Each structure stands twice: as C-alpha cells, then as structure tokens.
Amino acid sequence: CLPIPKGFTLEQAASVVETSYTVWTNVFTRGRLQANETILIHGGSSGIGTTAIQLAKAFGARVIVTAGSDAKCAVCNDLGADRSINYQDEDFVEVMKSEGGADVILDMVGGPYIQRNLNCLNVEGRLCQIAFLQPPVVEKFNFLKMLTMRLTLTGSTLRPRTVEQKAEIAEDLKKYVWPLYENGKIKPVLYKTFPLEKACEAHVLMESSKHIGKIMLNCN
C-alpha cells in the first residue's frame, strides 16, 4: 500500500497507482532510462503514456511519443513531450531516424511494431514491452539487429509478482515518485469518472480510444 499523496483527492490517488507501478518498473528498473537519453513512448495520451511522459521528463530524459490525433499530440506536448508523432500522418520509424533514434522504447502495441521498434533503437537500446494491442505472435522477426546493436528486449506484468516484490516497487515509488506528485512536478491526468453502475459506458469510452489519460470508476 501507498499513502495518498499530500493534496490529492482519493480519486486522484487511485488514478496514479497502477500507472506509476508500471512505468517505474519497466522504464526505470528494467529499461534503465538515464538522464539525457531518448525514450519513445507509444500511446502517449493513454494513462500509462501520460504518466511515462511526466516521469521521464522529471528524471531528465528526452521524450518522443506517438499518438493517434493532433489533439492528443498537443496534450502530450503540454505534459512535456519534446516531439509528438501523429502515427496517422507520420511513420514513427522514419521520424526516429531523423531524431537520432531511441535508447528506450515503451510499447504496448506489439505485433508489427516489434520489428519496427528494433529499427528505432540505438546501440545498447532497450525495448520494454508491457502489453499487446496487436497479436503477441510475430511470424517474421529478424533477430540480427539485436546482436549487432547489442539490444535488450524485456517486458513485465505486475499481477503475477509476489507481495514482497510489489512491496519493493512501492518503496521505490514512495521514495522517488510520490514527492514529485506532492510538489506538483508531475500530476494525474483524469479524463472522466463514471459511477460503478455505468461501468459498461466506461468500457465503451475506453474502446473508442477518444479519451486522454485515465478513466475512473467511482465505487462509493
């Protein structure tokens, strides 16, 4: 468990827990993102994406994101992204070549993005896979670049972890991340809250991909 950050409502506190766990574990622990490195974040306007943008910037990284509309890209820029790519109009692989490549990539798409992500990574780059909106099975995949560029492919999910492992992550969050929420350097991004009896409407909104940030259910 973690304390409610000072100045937060219960709703705001509930909105940051899982995204903070996910981003901290994958971007900073497994992905080893360092200050002055470049991270590419797919789905920059999602709950995970909005958290990852702010945390990466807070720790001194250069942030590039993909999003599905100009409006979503604008929100990502407002949160601190250095470059937002509207994937409807631009090829993120070509953009990353012109931007000098990525040291870390946070991806929840999978499928054809996996090979394309590898094509964006710099030497010693790290690909962090956290979900699969596209199929997790890829029939054609060229591992040669992984060898020649000394790449790391990693990923994780939170639910199978032991209580002790989750407690270790919580301690890191309390030490490194919660102070950033409390001093206002990073903030929760809440799109809409539904009463629990309207959970179906919340799912419809989520599946429409029209939201930016977190969709919450009020269980009171």
Side-chain angles (χ1 to χ4, degrees):
C1 293
L2 285 159
I4 296 175
K6 295 175 184 177
F8 272 42
T9 65
L10 183 60
E11 181 185 44
Q12 289 174 317
S15 74
V16 301
V17 178
E18 188 169 6
T19 58
S20 298
Y21 269 91
T22 300
V23 172
W24 183 261
T25 301
N26 289 280
V27 171
F28 295 95
T29 303
R30 303 185 70 81
R32 309 185 306 281
L33 181 66
Q34 302 295 314
N36 299 317
E37 288 190 322
T38 297
I39 181 172
L40 171 62
I41 301 166
H42 290 297
S45 63
S46 66
I48 293 292
T50 54
T51 301
I53 291 169
Q54 296 181 83
L55 278 177
K57 287 300 293 184
F59 286 95
R62 179 168 175 260
V63 177
I64 302 176
V65 305
T66 63
S69 71
D70 289 341
K72 289 182 176 182
C73 285
V75 170
C76 294
N77 292 338
D78 289 342
L79 290 172
D82 297 285
R83 172 74 157 88
S84 292
I85 304 166
N86 182 344
Y87 60 77
Q88 306 285 359
D89 301 327
E90 296 182 283
D91 182 341
F92 73 82
V93 178
E94 294 303 316
V95 172
M96 292 309 299
K97 288 179 181 177
S98 67
E99 293 287 342
D103 302 295
V104 176
I105 297 177
L106 182 64
D107 183 44
M108 64 286 291
V109 180
Y113 268 40
I114 299 175
Q115 185 70 62
R116 299 178 71 202
N117 283 331
L118 260 62
N119 294 338
C120 295
L121 286 170
N122 294 325
V123 174
E124 302 284 359
R126 290 84 74 192
L127 170 60
C128 305
Q129 197 75 42
I130 59 170
F132 292 96
L133 296 175
Q134 297 289 329
V137 177
V138 180
E139 293 184 3
K140 292 184 179 181
F141 186 78
N142 187 346
F143 281 96
L144 183 60
K145 194 159 191 174
M146 186 178 71
L147 302 180
T148 58
M149 301 284 284
R150 303 187 299 280
L151 305 179
T152 298
L153 280 65
T154 184
S156 72
T157 59
L158 185 64
R159 290 179 182 86
R161 304 284 186 94
T162 65
V163 173
E164 291 75 18
Q165 290 171 330
K166 292 175 183 177
E168 289 178 5
I169 302 170
E171 286 300 313
D172 276 350
L173 293 179
K174 187 176 179 181
K175 181 177 180 180
Y176 298 109
V177 178
W178 255 226
L180 299 175
Y181 282 121
E182 293 183 342
N183 66 23
K185 192 164 186 179
I186 61 176
K187 63 183 181 180
V189 180
L190 294 172
Y191 185 75
K192 190 171 182 179
T193 299
F194 292 84
L196 184 60
E197 59 268 21
K198 293 187 177 180
C200 288
E201 293 181 25
H203 279 283
V204 170
L205 175 60
M206 180 174 289
E207 291 169 9
S208 74
S209 295
K210 294 179 180 179
H211 66 290
I212 294 173
K214 295 291 289 185
I215 299 169
M216 301 295 294
L217 295 176
N218 190 328
C219 298
N220 291 334

